[in-house]
């Protein structure tokens, strides 16, 4: 949930850490901090509540060749200077991403031994333990410490007078970067984009020791191991705003390319997937948030194209319900980051119960990728904005192809060819849709209710989540037919209903729902590509017309429209859609 960065090399570590923290900020932005070791082995720590920009000036006066940094999404203890990382004890200073589940018990024991705690964080326990275990060897002290930790951790520790960073990883991602006489350690690849030529990914239980001479990696039995080195393909330019005011808008405009790339990459992955799906008789889709909403669309693809019953569940619910899964089931675990704890653990559980796991992910080196039997690649490219945009549409494109593959269709079939036309329609939608005046209406509304049927309902859920997430305007997504079973009570002149209508056969039914809203004094917007829908209401309804396409492909354009509406609403209200309050991009804690 937080971002960590470490640097050992000849450049100014304070500068490298500062840059890394700006790049990792999307993982958490409640507070940030850094610890830099100077030439004499003395460590300076600075930490500040708020975004990295608050911390950045304090790094101007510090220099050294070794440094660690942290940007935080608070789990234990409110956002504050004192709860910000790094945390120190004696000669030791640490940064930590993850959750130490048994910290209360460890803290009591340490307090009984006379230790005093300054923060409310779970992480300070790790600093105290490493300090107590330190007998001259930093890596051994860290190895001893992690033996008693329960939970998840990506931990980096430095020690006064020791020219090294010791690292431990368990269920929180850590990658190592190899440059020219310089070495990095970070939570994810964007942090190292353009910084080093190769990277390796630590496995659960691994420890690493980074010195000016190189990196040594050890497994949980302290045996030295080799982890594959692969080319660092993350491009620094993907981190640029390229003239856009916000990443959300930039990434929204990257949707056509994301869908196109996903289709291309799927072709290469298809044979392996086809093989893995042989004999499968049950489909389960899992994900959280936006990825879960993509799964809901995917479920309809499996049902419609392969006529097989498919289930889609929230990953966090699935893993705690003692799920009924056995051999013959295929679990499509959908996750942009591939690091969402609930999704990764739900997939792991399904696999232990005998299911095949297919990772539908944008992150080729993620935990989800590593545990999956097969990867169905989502090639959306780096997504920095906390609110998912292009990754959602690319996930839908990927699931569409997965369902066709499962149905035994070749990638030259009519449906697959129709998908290849969608990037152009996404582009057309981006160019033609003007949501500005509707955004003004939503910005002043007491509630915005998204309505739809079938796949439109799945997109309605996503439209509602997106709007809430970036603008803080409350609302919900509902099946259009459900309105009259309760939600209608909420409708008044201050509310707005956004109806999504992309199925000609259901258009009349959706029109009824819109009429019900209007007759209760509510305001309505219809996003549609069905000609003539709501024609009789057109003086009372705002209509956004999108290009014609098959109803199963319409989520690729209706999503673009609702995402644009959410962005514009946030802009009207002056919110930062890239870093909404209280959120972070990858939720690596439960
Ligand atoms: C999307 O806008 C949200 N920020 C959030 O719901 C996100 O989709 C969810 O946390 C799942 O993330 P993942 O795709 O990386 O697993």
């Amino acid at each position: 949930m937080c971002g960590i960065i470490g640097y050992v090399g000849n450049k100014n570590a304070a500068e490298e850490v500062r840059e890394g923290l700006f790049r990792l900020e999307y993982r958490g932005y409640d507070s940030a901090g850094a610890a830099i070791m100077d030439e004499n082995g003395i460590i300076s720590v600075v930490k500040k509540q708020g975004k990295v920009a608050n911390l950045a000036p304090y790094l101007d006066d510090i220099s050294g060749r070794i440094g660690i940094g942290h940007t935080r999404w608070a789990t234990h203890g409110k956002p504050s200077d004192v709860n910000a990382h790094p945390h120190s004890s004696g000669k030791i200073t640490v940064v930590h991403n993850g959750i130490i589940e048994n910290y209360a018990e460890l803290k009591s024991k340490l307090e009984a031994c006379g230790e005093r705690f300054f923060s409310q964080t779970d992480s300070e326990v790790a600093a105290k333990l490493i300090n107590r275990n330190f007998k001259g060897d930093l890596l051994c002290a860290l190895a001893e410490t992690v033996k008693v930790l329960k939970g998840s951790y990506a931990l980096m520790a430095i020690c006064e007078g020791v020219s090294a960073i010791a690292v431990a990883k368990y269920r929180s991602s850590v990658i190592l970067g190899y440059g020219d006489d310089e070495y990095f350690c970070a939570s994810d690849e964007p942090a190292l984009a353009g910084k080093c030529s190769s990277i390796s990914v630590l496995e659960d239980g691994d420890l690493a020791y980074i010195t000016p001479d190189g990196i040594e990696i050890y497994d949980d039995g302290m045996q030295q191991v080799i982890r594959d080195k692969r080319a660092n393909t993350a491009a620094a330019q993907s981190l640029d705003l390229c003239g856009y005011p916000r990443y959300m808008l930039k990434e929204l405009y990257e949707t056509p390319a994301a869908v196109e790339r996903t289709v291309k990459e799927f072709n290469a992955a298809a044979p392996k997937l086809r093989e893995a799906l042989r004999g499968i008789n049950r489909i389960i889709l899992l994900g959280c948030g936006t990825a879960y909403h993509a799964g809901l669309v995917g479920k309809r693809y499996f049902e419609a194209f392969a006529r097989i019953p498919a289930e889609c569940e929230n990953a966090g619910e699935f893993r705690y319900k003692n799920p009924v899964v056995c051999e013959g089931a295929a679990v499509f675990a959908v996750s942009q980051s591939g690091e969402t704890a609930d999704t990764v653990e739900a997939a792991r559980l399904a696999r232990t119960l005998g299911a095949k796991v297919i990772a539908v992910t944008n992150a080729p080196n993620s935990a989800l990728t590593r545990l999956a039997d097969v990867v169905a690649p989502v090639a959306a490219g780096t997504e920095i904005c906390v609110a998912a945009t292009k990754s959602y549409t690319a996930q839908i494109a990927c699931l569409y192809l997965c369902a066709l593959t499962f149905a035994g269709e070749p990638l030259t079939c009519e449906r697959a060819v129709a998908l290849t036309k969608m990037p152009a329609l996404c582009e057309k939608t981006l160019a033609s849709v003007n949501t500005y005046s509707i955004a003004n209406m939503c910005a002043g509304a007491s509630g915005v209710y998204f309505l739809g049927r079938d796949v439109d309902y799945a997109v309605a859920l996503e439209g509602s989540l997106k709007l809430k997430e970036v603008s803080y305007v409350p609302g919900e997504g509902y099946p259009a037919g459900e309105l009259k079973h309760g939600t209608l009570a909420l409708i008044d002149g201050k509310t707005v209903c956004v109806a999504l209508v992309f199925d000609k056969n259901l258009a009349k039914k959706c029109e009824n729902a819109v009429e019900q809203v209007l007759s209760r004094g509510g305001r309505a917007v219809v996003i549609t590509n069905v000609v003539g829908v709501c024609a009789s209401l057109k003086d009372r309804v705002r209509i956004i017309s999108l290009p014609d396409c098959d109803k199963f492909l319409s989520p690729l354009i209706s999503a673009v429209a609702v995402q644009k509406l959410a962005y514009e609403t946030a802009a009207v209200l002056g919110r930062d859609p890239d870093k909404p309050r209280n959120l972070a991009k990858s939720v690596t804690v439960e």
Side-chain angles (χ1 to χ4, degrees), residues 288-291 334-338 340 343 386-388 395 465-466 469 585 587:
C288 295
T290 293
V334 188
S335 172
Q336 186 282 130
S337 62
T340 298
T343 309
V386 166
Q395 282 164 356
L465 174 66
K466 205 89 315 171
E469 186 180 15
K585 183 78 176 158
V587 186

Side-chain angles (χ1 to χ4, degrees), residues 281-298:
N281 54 29
R282 188 174 165 206
I283 302 291
I284 303 170
L285 298 109
L286 300 175
C288 295
T290 293
Y292 165 64
H293 294 158
L296 288 173
V297 179

